[in-house]
Amino acid sequence: MLTRGTLIYIAKRVVLLAFTVFLVSSVVFFAVHSLPGNALISARLHGAALQQQLHQFGLDRPVLVQYWSFISNAVRGNFGVSYVIQGLPITPLVIRELSVSCELGGAALIITVGLGVSVGVIAAVRHNTWVDYILTSLAVLGYTVPSFVIATLFYLVFGVWLATLTNGGFSYPLTWTGTYGTLAELSVPAFAIGLFTSGQVARITRAAMLDVLQQDYVRTARAKGVREWAVIIRHALRNALVPVVSILGPLIATIITGVVVIENIFSIPGLGKEFIESILNHDYNITVAVFTLLAALIGVANLGVDLVYAAVDPRIRY
Amino acid sequence: MSIATEVAQEFDAGVVAREQVSLWRDGWRRLRRNRLALAATIFLAFLALVCVVTFFWTPYPPSVFVGNPYAGPSLAHPFGLDEYGRDMLSRMMVGAQISMAVGLGCAVIAVVVGVSLGLLAGYLRGWVDSVISTAINIFYSFPTILMALILYIVIGPSIINIMVAISLTVWMDMARLVRGQTLSIREREYVEAARASGARTGRIMLGHVLPNSLGPIIVQATYIIPSAILTEAFLSFLGVGIPPPTPDWGNILGTDGLPAIRFAPHILLPTAILLSVTLLAFNFLGDGLRDAFDPRQKR
Amino acid sequence: MTSRKPDLGGAAVARRRPPLAVWALSLLAVAAAACGTSGSGNSSGSTAIASKQVLHFPIYADPQTMDPALGDQEIESELSENVFDNLWLFDKTLNIVPDIATAVPTQANGGISSDGLTYTVHLNPKATFNNGDKVTSADVLYSWNRAVAYAGAYSTNLAAIAGFADVQKAASGMTDAQIETQLSAKNPAFAMSGLTAVNSETVQVKLANPCGWCLAAWTLEGTTGAVVDQKVVSQDPASWWHTPGQMVGTGAYKLTAYTPKESMVFKLVPNWWGTAVGLAKPTVSEIDIDIHDPSAAEKDIAAWEQGSYDIFGYGGYSGLLTVADILRIQRTASEKSELLTVDKGRTTWLSFNVGYPATGGPFVGETAAAKGLRLAFDLAIDKQGLAKTVCGNVTCSPATGGLITKGLTGYLGDNQDPLAKFDPTQAKQLLKEYDPTGQLTANLKYSYNAGSPNDQVATYLAEQWKANLGVSVTLNADPDASDFIKNRLAGGYVMSRDGWQFDYNSPQDWYDNLWGAAVLSAGANTSGFDDPQYDSILAQADQLPTTQALPLYNQLAKMLSDDAVYIPLYYSVGNFLIHSYVKGAGSNTAFDYYWDQISLLSH
């Protein structure tokens, strides 16, 4: 499977990825530096004191000089220091937050695929029964209602109502302990993201399964006496998954967007929260670093999806 | 091919003769039968009416203190008051205006841009197609939020900027769709005939290709609107969309509703439900239109 | 009642069984005794100290810096005050007592010369940095010269020392690293001429002019008066303050771990040289601080209630408890006594544009009309109602005693500020007299930075002006706080929210930083108020010791209120949640009590 063609394809994609990341990084860098010089928020700074701080951070150099210094540092993994928390190196901070976001995004992806495929399969197998109707409706609700609405409703139900109902006896932990949280704390936010995307997966899985279950080879397998669940799982599902993988790319983009929003709602210390915070705090060095990492993450995720696609669909050859 | 041709074929197959109908009449008939889509249309028409009315009148001015903060629903204020004593119903109405404006505006921009680029890519092919297709792929790999935030940083928040930013993330679907349609339609005999008789490219694209893809374009446009509304809502929710005092659904949820969620959920819930129902309505309408225009479906 | 007498046999005297009531009472007595000794947090029973002396509390932002030369936010000083010492410190009641210095200099003990220009300070020979280096006068000189050269927000605390302006001029335009190089090279241009070392344990400070507020300014905890270790700082001027092992001060605690945006840990310095106030030696061995997002405050309050946190509100977050929270806690019997309410030295008021003609508005200048309109708008606001509506009278109190907060020197006394009155009748009269057509007050805007409680205050003000004057004022909320402050300081608003948090207990801190010619030329005068008489009285007062200067400062207060330059709104009230087993924790108007005074009882 790992043919020369595939390797060349991967190489091409990696180059495209690097190019895209570089492009995004540069666009954001120039966007940020097109703003008036005051990127520092200490309100007492103005006039000469402000100029001093600008000089301190090298913000009074010509933009291209700053850009060159930024690029040459970035390729070595050094994203500079924060403007707000003086002297704090950015790279370890964003790498740590990236891992937290990956944890959340990964959990959401597992829920998306796991829940979505299961629901889709069940709805297809129980086609046109009340089970199908309920599941399909839930799926429709899932993919229409925005993830942040789902998240706030979860917050309301689990964080507020549940506690009131049981008189404070039982409330779902909506805090986040330590860097990576506990499994319980991870579940609600991950579900909030995953419900939204699993709706789309369920829909496609159901349609694909319905299609596949009509095919000749499935009828043959049934005729041969293969047990129903083996027919479904081993014969039908494999082929039904192909269209699912095809939407995995945009789905991951949606999950990443969902991660950004949910991190902000549940105060999870990940890259998404840092993203919005750095913009609102004017800590633009961090903003550029976050954009760069996100672009890289998306590119890598998309490349991964394409490779999975190739593995799943034997017709795809690069 | 047109519905008329399809019906004619069925006639040949021995089915009971049916009247000749145009695409539109047939589509409308099908849509009417689809109850979900019908309900959606009625709801959206009502919402549009509310938006128009809001230009002239709201129960109370939306940004002014009219009563006790956090007051719950009452006769005078059916949806209660927010944390500054502002009437929720009035705010939701203005929010509807903004959401619809952004949704429609983005759809218009995306249609104009997407259709033009799709036509060009599909008809001219060659390097034009390569460039446009690469652009489509690059834009696909950007989540909306990245693009919107870049614009937010540079230009600042305003409704125009947000519309531009969101349009940049939804035009690709339209372009791809039109490109695909164009690629297939350009091979049809009547197009070949037109080319042979010396018609100019532009005329062919606009006169032959475009009308025949109108159905899918309309359907796609109907799907773009909820996408745009959703994106705008969550940008405002995060605080990087329409700037605060303006009551936009996203703002109401994020800035007003979420902080007060423990003791005043009436600020959050109605708007959350309203937003969801609006999005659902557009999606059902889109589904209905898609089924209505789908030539493969039997009556 | 009678009952069968038990057959006791022998010489038993027939006894009547005690009545039921007696049984009941004795049962009650036993129960009470049992409950009394079984410990729960609030019982006064246990006085034993806990085996685990770890203090745990949350904060809601990373300090932007903990370098005393640069810090200017409360979170920064509340942490730094435990790691760094100044020459003197404020005790709980805001009196100045010795810290690294052996005595507080006065004219009586010869520490201050008779002309008030020379201060002689002796350093405690035991003073040691937490890495073992001894403190010498060279460190004091380095710390203060460095603070001046870096020109941070509080460098002006040292402004009275001779040579201050020269050093700032020499250092202007340089980066921190460049300044460190100059200081290491002992470049005389970077040393204030007035600051000299008599010997390794004696420092002499010469002022350009007598200064009544200087001692307080130099004592301000966690800022420019603090002493740092040159050896450590010069190695890494950018990052030393957040690197465990490099955040070196003479305080009882040192930084041992810092995960940005997540947590911080401080540990007790072994064999600390200093003396803890009220304890034999510092008891708390470790401070665990969680850094959370402000939106997590409610959850953290719940966590405090469940015992996961020992204190809530430390670090400058005494304003996070909402009115709803406070009322709820006051109703909860077990928590009521653990709520600490303290006046915090912060006042909020509304400033009129008095001195910037370019910005416009009907309030500019000293004409009768301008003054009358200012007064009208002031009298139309019910200040008591404001405090009640916006803060439930628990998170703020109406500002009725002048702009200097209650509890500080310079407070005029309850209800002594004429501008604190509420007189809608006179307000309407003034309005009719000076703006009969309503033209002048037609398009007014009130500007403020968005957020709680500013939004509620703004809404209330608008509502009051509408109801009591019939004037509609548009609310102009700026979501970007630093943007708003920048514009305000430049005099860009006709009516703006204004406020001040005191730095050190001297009226000079207020009058010199908010009004007058000096702050106008520094570009930080919101109202633009300037008057030659104000400036001359201020200059005079600044040179006298605070007790003598007070009547002069009060004259300035009268000038401002006679001129209706402001509308007084409210004083901030801080609220802390401190479990009863945390002894020695608390706060005064200025700062949280030091960690070295805290001990945890077993609970």
Side-chain angles (χ1 to χ4, degrees), chain B residues 70-225:
Chain B
Y70 300 120
S74 64
L75 269 179
H77 303 278
F79 289 108
L81 301 176
D82 71 1
E83 74 273 24
Y84 302 145
R86 302 179 291 202
D87 178 44
M88 285 304 302
L89 178 58
S90 314
R91 291 179 68 78
M92 284 161 73
M93 286 166 71
V94 178
Q97 265 189 330
I98 296 181
S99 295
M100 294 296 260
V102 171
L104 288 169
C106 290
V108 165
I109 299 178
V111 163
V112 167
V113 171
V115 167
S116 330
L117 291 181
L119 274 177
L120 285 172
Y123 196 78
L124 298 177
R125 293 194 296 187
W127 65 269
V128 174
D129 185 12
S130 300
V131 167
I132 294 181
S133 292
T134 317
I136 291 179
N137 279 328
I138 291 187
F139 273 88
Y140 254 134
S141 53
F142 273 79
T144 320
I145 189 164
L146 288 194
M147 234 170 304
L149 283 172
I150 295 182
L151 276 173
Y152 171 86
I153 294 175
V154 181
I155 317 177
S158 83
I159 198 168
I160 304 285
N161 295 337
I162 291 176
M163 274 205 268
V164 168
I166 297 176
S167 311
L168 283 178
T169 59
V170 293
W171 67 272
M172 304 89 70
D173 279 328
M174 183 65 78
R176 232 199 224 181
L177 171 77
V178 173
R179 174 178 176 276
Q181 290 273 315
T182 311
L183 279 175
S184 79
I185 291 179
R186 87 197 287 286
E187 306 306 328
R188 303 283 170 82
E189 283 140 11
Y190 55 87
V191 174
E192 288 238 11
R195 249 206 304 261
S197 71
R200 278 184 317 182
T201 315
R203 188 131 198 277
I204 298 180
M205 285 205 289
L206 292 175
H208 292 278
V209 179
L210 189 55
N212 283 297
S213 353
L214 217 43
I217 289 180
I218 292 180
V219 172
Q220 184 66 16
T222 319
Y223 281 132
I224 287 182
I225 297 176

Side-chain angles (χ1 to χ4, degrees), chain B residues 63-66 69-70 83-85 243-245 259 262-263, chain C residues 298-299 324 389 450-452 455-456 459-460 463 475 477 479:
Chain B
S63 297
V64 170
F65 167 97
V66 291
Y70 300 120
E83 74 273 24
Y84 302 145
R262 282 172 189 273
F263 43 85
Chain C
E298 290 294 318
K299 293 186 221 144
T389 311
S452 181
D455 298 306
Q456 289 94 312
T459 313
Y460 182 86
E463 203 241 324
L475 299 180

